[in-house]
Amino acid sequence: MTVAAHLGVAPTTERWLRGRMGDEERPGAEGFLPAERDLESLRAAATGCRGCELYRDATQVVFSAGRPRAALMLVGEQPGDREDVEGEPFVGPAGRILDQALGDAGIDRDDVYVTNAVKHFRFHRQGKRRIHEKPAVGNIVACHPWLEAELAVVQPRVVVCLGATAGRSVLGRTTRITEERGHVQQSPDGQAVLVTTHPSALLRLRDDPGWDAAYDAFVGDLQAAAKAAAT
Ligand code: URA
Ligand code: SF4
């Protein structure tokens, strides 16, 4: 399936998305993938990816972590500030919430494969701070070949999409988290997928009266995914 078809955009739209930044800037990751694909070769090749403009300002590519043949694959949005510095996914504040929730769901983080829809940190500078910027659809499209290759190698039983960016990449369409969360559905490629909230969205509720319910719902979604992956 072409990237355009998978992502549910017309080929003309895909060309427009890529072309908007100039063709050289978003040629997409396809041309950077190795011929022989395992996690080691993918990880090594991703360091040289110039599939979109994000490699330029980021410190490094953040590929993935976890069990190579995991039953459960977690897909986030993109590395954050901490992840960009350390080169590992979910090691910052969102990662701490994720770790806690995985623990409360009875899931060992070492047993899952963790990656992101977009593999370089997108941000703008505000003085000395680097402020997270949501990836554009064009970045998600450009980066999709890496995720597709990871899916082919890891062959997870269930993919958990953490938030709308992951949903967009894996399901190939706009996902509405509140409407779709918590149940296993099939992607157009026949992959079992469960959509849930992003741990950063939870973080924003930290001191809110809604925290307990939101956190419990997140843990419940992770449990549902783990259960589906075990059957
Ligand atoms: N948020 C994400 O989506 N991914 C990370 O790796 C870190 C924060
Ligand atoms: Fe390549 Fe993805 Fe990084 Fe863009 S974000 S340069 S497509 S790895």
Side-chain angles (χ1 to χ4, degrees):
M1 193 182 276
T2 68
V3 173
H6 177 86
L7 289 168
V9 296
T12 46
T13 311
E14 188 190 20
R15 275 198 297 279
W16 179 81
L17 285 166
R18 288 188 179 168
R20 206 158 66 101
M21 302 292 294
D23 274 344
E24 293 94 358
E25 295 198 77
R26 283 186 187 155
E30 265 129 339
F32 299 92
L33 263 73
E36 297 279 328
R37 294 181 195 170
D38 54 33
L39 289 179
E40 287 68 38
S41 67
L42 288 170
R43 188 182 308 281
T47 62
C49 187
R50 304 286 182 264
C52 74
E53 78 285 5
L54 296 184
Y55 76 89
R56 276 204 247 108
D57 295 330
T59 309
Q60 59 187 318
V61 71
V62 176
F63 197 71
S64 69
R67 185 180 291 279
R69 278 279 180 157
L72 209 54
M73 181 190 280
L74 307 187
V75 183
E77 181 196 66
Q78 62 170 350
D81 185 81
R82 248 354 280 163
E83 290 78 16
D84 172 77
V85 171
E86 293 192 28
E88 292 279 323
F90 285 106
V91 290
R96 280 193 291 281
I97 297 271
L98 179 62
D99 284 346
Q100 188 187 337
L102 285 170
D104 286 338
I107 301 165
D108 190 338
R109 178 156 168 177
D110 293 339
D111 281 343
V112 301
Y113 180 88
V114 181
T115 191
N116 282 303
V118 172
K119 307 242 184 303
H120 278 103
F121 180 34
R122 187 180 201 220
F123 63 94
H124 63 268
R125 291 185 193 278
Q126 207 171 78
K128 282 192 182 147
R129 293 183 59 206
R130 303 193 302 172
I131 310 294
H132 165 277
E133 223 175 285
K134 219 166 92 80
V137 177
N139 299 124
I140 303 171
V141 172
C143 213
H144 186 261
W146 293 116
L147 187 59
E148 198 175 301
E150 290 170 278
L151 282 164
V153 171
V154 178
Q155 297 184 279
R157 302 195 57 165
V158 177
V159 174
V160 177
C161 295
L162 302 169
T165 296
R168 167 100 218 177
S169 189
V170 174
L171 292 170
R173 58 171 172 79
T174 305
T175 50
R176 289 168 201 82
I177 304 303
T178 45
E179 286 166 30
E180 298 186 35
R181 68 176 298 165
H183 68 269
V184 178
Q185 55 176 308
Q186 300 285 316
S187 79
D189 302 331
Q191 172 70 56
V193 177
L194 182 141
V195 178
T196 187
T197 189
H198 191 286
S200 296
L202 279 182
L203 262 185
R204 290 192 283 274
L205 292 175
R206 257 292 191 209
D207 301 312
D208 199 275
W211 161 261
D212 280 346
Y215 179 78
D216 290 349
F218 183 52
V219 172
D221 288 352
L222 292 174
Q223 276 170 332
K227 191 171 165 216
T231 50

